[in-house]
Amino acid sequence: MSGTDADRGVAPPPHAGPAVSLLVADDDEVTRSGLSMLLAAQPGISVLGEAADGLEAVERALRLRPDVVLMDVRMPRCNGIDATRRLLAEAADPPKVVVITTFENDGYVTAALRAGASGFLLKRLPVRRIAEAIRVVAAGEAILFPAALGRMVAARPLVSAEALPQAALTGREEEVLRLMATGLSNPEIAESLTVSLETIKTHVGNVLTKLGAQNRTHAVVIAYESGLVVPGFAG
């Protein structure tokens, strides 16, 4: 976890649209408070509250109704995986959940996705990347740090291994899929390819449709399983 751009004397990038409301759940008070403070300073993020364990995370999320819950894995009373599963089952309009942990544990990644989490991140990522992931997930996409995804798919696929219908993807769509596998968001892909954001959104939509993927993470899993992206490519 690193300091904000403001801490380094650099103005943060502007953010268009309403702020994403966030609940931070972590049993370590210093980590929880630090994440809340740093993320609240990021553009487009509004921290509604904090929770010290899984049960409190569920209770506070049901009451505060945040857009996204940033959920630690190892917490007392109820761990983050079980809390995610319970929250998504109990909430009438459930928030998106991004699971965040210190540990690069492939089992956690698989369990988080199966519980319904929309993302999985490491606490050592820069705060600006965590904030970007929160905004991406709030927009209805999914995100996963790519090194873990490569190992996870190599060890135990989440979907049946099928050949990627590469002939159905255009060259640009394959390029976009490869960049998705590196963990880049749509704006970052647009900047990398020097095209408009709307163009990238169209390409991503086409990729998901052609692959029959539920979301970005599912599409990237298929890319890894097919061999289009090899484990370690994005790490």
Side-chain angles (χ1 to χ4, degrees), residues 183-206:
L184 294 186
S185 65
N186 284 356
E188 290 169 327
I189 295 174
E191 182 179 357
S192 175
L193 298 180
T194 321
V195 297
S196 72
L197 178 58
E198 289 305 315
T199 296
I200 293 303
K201 288 181 177 179
T202 298
H203 287 319
V204 170
N206 290 341

Side-chain angles (χ1 to χ4, degrees), residues 118-201:
S118 297
F120 189 99
L121 301 171
L122 291 178
K123 292 179 183 177
R124 62 175 169 78
L125 289 174
V127 170
R128 62 179 179 79
R129 295 291 294 176
I130 297 175
E132 176 63 21
I134 290 168
R135 291 190 289 264
V136 166
V137 166
E141 301 176 3
I143 198 160
L144 188 67
F145 76 96
L149 179 57
R151 294 194 308 272
M152 176 188 67
V153 172
R156 44 184 178 279
L158 289 180
V159 297
S160 58
E162 299 176 352
L164 179 73
Q166 295 185 32
L169 295 181
T170 67
R172 178 63 92 181
E173 288 166 354
E174 276 196 27
E175 191 173 12
V176 168
L177 179 55
R178 290 181 187 274
L179 292 174
M180 288 165 60
T182 70
L184 294 186
S185 65
N186 284 356
E188 290 169 327
I189 295 174
E191 182 179 357
S192 175
L193 298 180
T194 321
V195 297
S196 72
L197 178 58
E198 289 305 315
T199 296
I200 293 303
K201 288 181 177 179

